Amino acid sequence: MISLVTQAAKHTFSYPTVAVWVLVAVGASVMGPFGTYSNYDWVPRTCYWFTICGCSVFLSQLVRGTVSRYIHDNTSWRFDVAAIMVMTLVLTPFVFGLSSIMMANIQGTHPDFWRIGRFVLLTSALITTIRRIHRFHQLTEAGQEGSGSIFMAASEEAAAPPEEGADNAEEAAQECRLRLRLPPEISDPILHLSARDHFVDVETGSALYSLRMRFADAVAEMDGVEGYITHRSHWIAADAVREPKRGGGKLYLVLSNGTEVPVSRTFRPELEAAGLL
């Protein structure tokens, strides 16, 4: 559970997630739904919606991570339905409680529990539908490889090594080609790769960055770094492993940054032979 919370927090404060929820919060602050425009001044209204949006992003990531432990295919309709329902059950009481606290001293009608619940359900369903349409459009337009997205963390041009290699690019390529896809400010060693829909989350000791690419391609670009696939959607650097851990009948590898990476039976023999288990 701690690893799920940690991953959700990293996703919440990673690019472009922060940009998305900040823009949504600003839009909600300007429009002021649920009576917040008439009941709040600009500053408390902005604080209210920034809190709502930020916590919603965090909880949605936490919910999706939890659901994925029971429904492994996160591209299936069963996964989407389960995520929508759990998100509604989790977020509705939170929004209702926060609204009740912040509007306790304000005259007027507060939004009732069921109205908030319907709003959360419809919003969750709308976002999920947009994700589905976006995914379908990418696959139709560019096949399984995909050619780009407004949510792409790094462009294909930035990922490709320059023809006339500069010193910095050559040094990065000697470590691994995947580093060329990351922003220059992310200089920590890559500890962990995890597949998420058509994205790969690249985790270092202090950052989490999402790249739109296939998981197998990301692993291939970690050439020069000793590492192992622990699960069909997880890769870890050997030097990042701190210790094995058991929990809930499952086996995990704890990394140096505290992330717990699941180990499947398929890849366990190789990890045992490497001395990581």
Side-chain angles (χ1 to χ4, degrees):
M1 185 62 184
I2 296 178
S3 62
L4 286 177
V5 173
T6 301
Q7 288 282 18
K10 288 181 178 180
H11 278 295
T12 302
F13 293 101
S14 64
Y15 177 85
T17 307
V18 170
V20 173
W21 70 259
V22 166
L23 288 174
V24 173
V26 170
S29 300
V30 173
M31 293 182 290
F34 290 138
T36 54
Y37 186 86
S38 57
N39 291 327
Y40 290 146
D41 290 332
W42 169 252
V43 174
R45 186 167 71 246
T46 301
C47 292
Y48 174 85
W49 283 111
F50 264 78
T51 302
I52 290 292
C53 293
C55 291
S56 298
V57 172
F58 172 78
L59 290 174
S60 67
Q61 292 290 348
L62 189 60
V63 165
R64 290 181 66 86
T66 302
V67 173
S68 66
R69 291 197 168 189
Y70 300 94
I71 303 176
H72 300 295
D73 184 8
N74 59 9
T75 63
S76 69
W77 66 268
R78 293 188 301 112
F79 179 91
D80 287 340
V81 170
I84 290 171
M85 299 308 298
V86 176
M87 186 63 188
T88 302
L89 293 174
V90 170
L91 190 58
T92 299
F94 170 79
V95 175
F96 178 76
L98 182 62
S99 300
S100 299
I101 293 173
M102 296 192 68
M103 296 182 179
N105 298 322
I106 297 177
Q107 298 295 327
T109 303
H110 302 168
D112 60 57
F113 184 87
W114 299 113
R115 181 185 175 191
I116 292 177
R118 291 194 298 270
F119 178 79
V120 172
L121 176 63
L122 291 174
T123 301
S124 300
L126 177 61
I127 293 175
T128 300
T129 302
I130 292 174
R131 287 170 59 91
R132 282 284 182 178
I133 295 173
H134 176 65
R135 182 186 301 147
F136 177 78
H137 174 72
Q138 287 178 328
L139 294 178
T140 302
E141 186 178 65
Q144 292 296 331
E145 296 290 335
S147 62
S149 164
I150 59 173
F151 300 107
M152 184 183 290
S155 66
E156 295 296 331
E157 291 77 12
E163 294 181 0
E164 299 179 2
D167 293 339
N168 292 339
E170 291 177 354
E171 292 176 1
Q174 289 175 1
E175 180 181 358
C176 64
R177 286 175 291 150
L178 189 65
R179 179 163 293 282
L180 294 174
R181 297 178 180 268
L182 303 180
E185 59 268 20
I186 300 181
S187 58
D188 295 345
I190 296 174
L191 309 181
H192 176 216
L193 304 178
S194 59
R196 177 174 56 87
D197 295 333
H198 296 287
F199 291 83
V200 172
D201 293 330
V202 182
E203 184 176 7
T204 70
S206 59
L208 185 71
Y209 200 78
S210 297
L211 295 168
R212 190 184 186 285
M213 62 187 304
R214 296 192 307 175
F215 177 69
D217 293 339
V219 172
E221 292 190 9
M222 287 302 297
D223 46 3
V225 178
E226 182 183 2
Y228 300 90
I229 295 177
T230 67
H231 186 277
R232 65 178 182 177
S233 58
H234 292 274
W235 176 96
I236 51 95
D239 292 341
V241 177
R242 188 171 64 189
E243 60 182 358
K245 176 182 177 180
R246 288 189 176 274
K250 297 182 180 180
L251 183 62
Y252 300 88
L253 284 175
V254 181
L255 304 186
S256 57
N257 64 344
T259 297
E260 297 178 5
V261 181
V263 176
S264 68
R265 293 181 180 180
T266 303
F267 301 100
R268 182 172 177 174
E270 183 180 3
L271 295 169
E272 290 177 340
L276 299 179
L277 294 176

